[in-house]
Amino acid sequence: DNYIYQPLFRQFLTSQAYRRMDQQQLEKLSQRVLKLHETRGQIEIALDLCHATKDWDNMQRLILSHAKTWLADSRQRDLIYQLDRLPAKMAAGEPWLMMVRAEALKHIDANESHKLYENCAHIFQQKGNEKGKQLAAVGIQETALLESTKPKSMDRWLDEIASLKSPISESSSVKSTEARLIKCLLVGLASRMPNHPELSSWEQRAQAALQRKSSPEAQAIILSGLLTLKCFYGDVSTLRLMTALGEKLD
């Protein structure tokens, strides 16, 4: 059976635990309680516990592992609140945490989100993390389109990533993050660098990706990128793509 203690009584028990247990015992108990909350899906309670015990490593782990779900549930502000509770040095020094904040801010403050993505791209480049750089470049392109005064800021990253030989895995399925990268390059190159030598190659990769097993979401993202590309060129195959996109979203 599950029991929920009255708040004042729970506070009393907690104070007694801190009084009677040494630091090592408290840490072991906190880890057991943290695991219990996490197993039950009580993530916010687990985050509160991490914050109260200054368990920053586990707090960071929980934020990163559940950020995608919270973003999908439109809980951007809840995510920003949790990020704000981390020590400033940790939040500013870890590029993956910065990426989460940038993603959460994308439709709240596109300008700030754009700056964060650019910072992440530089950090990932310095660390030689190609995957991180690719994802940051996608964010730069997406926020540049939202913040229309910054289109030139994405040119450098578009050129670098478009020239990579195999930025997309050759697995049987296409992930939504990979689909976003494909769309980013199709739309970005078509609008900013229509004569780029790699644009036709990326169009071929997009067409090939559609033949691989993937989620409807990923295929719809790729199709929308191809549709935008065809619209730029006034290609008659646009109608076929629109039909295919409608079927995917239906």
Side-chain angles (χ1 to χ4, degrees):
D1 293 333
N2 296 328
Y3 297 92
I4 300 177
Y5 290 110
Q6 196 271 347
L8 285 176
F9 184 51
R10 185 169 65 247
Q11 185 177 356
F12 168 75
L13 292 176
T14 301
S15 65
Q16 290 298 305
Y18 276 101
R19 181 178 301 175
R20 299 186 182 190
M21 295 181 177
D22 59 31
Q23 187 63 33
Q24 186 176 8
Q25 289 175 313
L26 283 171
E27 287 179 0
K28 287 183 178 180
L29 180 60
S30 294
Q31 291 303 311
R32 287 176 59 190
V33 174
L34 176 62
K35 186 176 181 180
L36 180 63
H37 286 311
E38 191 173 356
T39 301
R40 293 179 176 178
Q42 299 168 328
I43 305 305
E44 287 177 273
I45 297 176
L47 286 166
D48 287 341
L49 177 61
C50 289
H51 185 264
T53 58
K54 293 181 171 55
D55 186 356
W56 308 125
D57 289 340
N58 271 317
M59 189 168 182
Q60 174 179 310
R61 177 183 60 81
L62 287 170
I63 290 173
L64 291 177
S65 61
H66 292 278
K68 184 177 180 180
T69 301
W70 284 28
L71 288 169
D73 292 340
S74 299
R75 299 184 60 189
Q76 287 86 348
R77 295 190 185 277
D78 290 338
L79 196 52
I80 293 169
Y81 167 71
Q82 297 296 343
L83 289 166
D84 286 342
R85 298 206 295 172
L86 287 169
K89 288 185 178 180
M90 173 179 282
E94 170 51 55
W96 288 111
L97 287 174
M98 291 171 62
M99 285 278 285
V100 170
R101 183 182 291 275
E103 191 71 18
L105 284 170
K106 185 184 295 181
H107 296 287
I108 298 173
D109 187 343
N111 183 53
E112 180 63 24
S113 177
H114 187 87
K115 292 177 183 177
L116 287 169
Y117 276 125
E118 285 193 312
N119 289 339
C120 290
H122 286 295
I123 294 173
F124 283 130
Q125 185 174 50
Q126 291 170 359
K127 292 185 174 184
N129 188 325
E130 289 299 327
K131 179 181 178 181
K133 187 173 76 171
Q134 292 164 18
L135 293 175
V138 172
I140 289 171
Q141 193 264 353
E142 291 175 343
T143 51
L145 294 176
L146 290 170
E147 188 71 16
S148 58
T149 58
K150 300 181 178 294
K152 291 184 179 180
S153 62
M154 64 182 173
D155 291 358
R156 173 194 169 189
W157 303 107
L158 277 172
D159 191 43
E160 284 195 19
I161 294 175
S163 301
L164 293 176
K165 291 183 178 179
S166 300
I168 301 297
S169 68
E170 298 299 326
S171 61
S172 59
S173 62
V174 180
K175 298 179 181 178
S176 60
T177 51
E178 294 175 336
R180 285 174 61 196
L181 177 58
I182 292 174
K183 179 181 177 180
C184 160
L185 286 162
L186 291 177
V187 176
L189 291 175
S191 61
R192 298 294 304 168
M193 304 175 183
N195 296 318
H196 196 285
E198 294 295 330
L199 179 54
S200 61
S201 173
W202 275 98
E203 182 179 359
Q204 292 172 9
R205 293 182 201 185
Q207 296 283 6
L210 289 177
Q211 305 305 316
R212 286 150 54 186
K213 183 180 179 181
S214 58
S215 68
E217 177 191 7
Q219 291 205 342
I221 291 171
I222 296 171
L223 280 167
S224 66
L226 283 167
L227 176 60
T228 303
L229 177 66
K230 299 298 183 183
C231 286
F232 270 110
Y233 294 144
D235 195 317
V236 293
S237 62
T238 297
L239 292 176
R240 291 196 294 273
L241 277 172
M242 289 180 67
T243 302
L245 178 58
E247 290 174 351
K248 292 292 179 185
L249 297 176
D250 195 5

